[in-house]
Amino acid sequence: MLGSSVNLNCSMQLNGVKLDRVNLYWLVPDVNNKVKEYLVPRPKKVSARSSNSRLIYPEFTNDLSLTIDNVQLPYTDTYICETSLLIGTRNARATGDGTYLLVYEEFSTFMNHTDLFCKVKLQTYQNVDLLWESQDQDYISTPPIVDPASDNSYWISRVLTYDPHRCRQNTTITCRLQYKGQSLVESSIEVACTGNLLASHSPPQPILLYISLLGNSLLILIIIIIVSYWLKKKRDRRVQVFAPYAPCFVPLKRTYNA
């Protein structure tokens, strides 16, 4: 991280071989694999990077590791440990695979409404990625956004839209800074979840819904039957009460005498 001290490891296995001379070099190659800068031995034209570089063990040992203090974004580079050896009368040369140092600044995560932001400042964005993940769910986020900064560095950010209604409990989501698939550092953020509240008021299961509909239909049918029976009884009662007192007219026969 910006402003910290880093150790670049380099060691030599002698296996009992006696060395008559050892010349150690720590160098930074350019894109054409030529030497861009020497850190050890310290060059005549000292840069900020070379002045901040020192061997952990100044006296010769098998450990040839280098410390760089107060690292800055431009220190992002590949560092190579190289030795020139004299064994008797034979010269030999040994070169390490190189250590890539990626210096980052202000790596952070924060939330704005339902959007989660992961942001970092780097000297380069090549082979660099930001990845959102959590233990209980995989998240699909937007592609990384690269914005140039005024100091020839870059802001890299990645946005994740989080739906709090799809979860059942508060969860921690982590953003990882990766270089060539290797995680370098991570930052986590805990987000609230409203899924529990929604789950407690979730709609009934289909079988319960069918039972409820069936019960309501039966209740309506029973009410209709009761009402129909009551109306029928009422009509029958009206006939039984009023029929005996209904007026009856019987025509009279008149007899006429001849």
Side-chain angles (χ1 to χ4, degrees):
M1 184 175 179
L2 184 75
S4 63
S5 297
V6 296
N7 293 334
L8 307 180
N9 297 322
C10 179
S11 60
M12 185 167 51
Q13 303 295 329
L14 297 178
N15 296 325
V17 176
K18 182 181 178 181
L19 301 178
D20 295 288
R21 187 190 70 226
V22 178
N23 293 326
L24 172 64
Y25 306 93
W26 272 99
L27 57 94
V28 180
D30 61 12
V31 293
N32 298 317
N33 280 331
K34 296 182 179 180
V35 178
K36 179 168 64 175
E37 183 180 1
Y38 280 102
L39 304 179
V40 175
R42 184 163 296 182
K44 294 180 180 180
K45 186 178 180 181
V46 179
S47 66
R49 173 163 51 180
S50 60
S51 64
N52 289 335
S53 303
R54 54 187 171 86
L55 292 174
I56 295 179
Y57 302 99
E59 301 296 329
F60 174 73
T61 66
N62 291 0
D63 193 337
L64 309 176
S65 299
L66 181 75
T67 293
I68 305 178
D69 298 317
N70 191 27
V71 295
Q72 301 298 308
L73 292 180
Y75 293 8
T76 297
D77 249 320
T78 299
Y79 295 79
I80 294 178
C81 174
E82 188 173 275
T83 58
S84 175
L85 311 175
L86 180 61
I87 306 174
T89 59
R90 183 171 62 90
N91 288 313
R93 197 175 189 90
T95 304
D97 295 331
T99 301
Y100 185 76
L101 175 63
L102 180 67
V103 184
Y104 62 90
E105 178 184 358
E106 298 183 31
F107 178 64
S108 62
T109 55
F110 58 94
M111 189 171 186
N112 183 11
H113 301 293
T114 58
D115 288 336
L116 276 67
F117 293 84
C118 183
K119 194 172 184 180
V120 66
K121 191 177 184 182
L122 299 163
Q123 188 68 23
T124 179
Y125 58 88
Q126 298 294 332
N127 301 313
V128 175
D129 195 10
L130 296 173
L131 179 66
W132 282 107
E133 63 180 15
S134 70
Q135 294 181 350
D136 59 346
Q137 188 173 352
D138 294 330
Y139 295 100
I140 300 176
S141 58
T142 62
I145 302 171
V146 179
D147 295 314
S150 58
D151 57 354
N152 296 322
S153 61
Y154 299 90
W155 284 103
I156 304 176
S157 59
R158 196 157 198 169
V159 183
L160 170 66
T161 299
Y162 178 77
D163 186 359
H165 304 299
R166 296 180 59 188
C167 59
R168 292 299 182 92
Q169 60 183 1
N170 294 352
T171 185
T172 299
I173 303 180
T174 301
C175 180
R176 299 184 188 276
L177 172 62
Q178 294 186 332
Y179 176 74
K180 291 186 176 181
Q182 180 180 357
S183 295
L184 303 179
V185 66
E186 64 183 45
S187 178
S188 299
I189 183 171
E190 184 174 356
V191 293
C193 176
T194 59
N196 284 333
L197 180 63
L198 293 179
S200 63
H201 295 84
S202 59
Q205 297 296 327
I207 186 170
L208 298 179
L209 182 62
Y210 297 151
I211 293 175
S212 177
L213 292 175
L214 181 59
N216 291 337
S217 300
L218 290 176
L219 180 60
I220 294 173
L221 180 60
I222 292 173
I223 292 174
I224 293 175
I225 293 175
I226 292 175
V227 171
S228 299
Y229 180 77
W230 179 79
L231 291 176
K232 182 176 181 302
K233 294 290 289 184
K234 188 174 181 180
R235 287 197 303 270
D236 293 343
R237 189 182 301 113
R238 185 180 297 118
V239 171
Q240 292 175 3
V241 172
F242 294 102
Y245 300 95
C248 181
F249 297 96
V250 179
L252 297 179
K253 293 181 179 182
R254 292 185 178 184
T255 305
Y256 294 95
N257 294 326

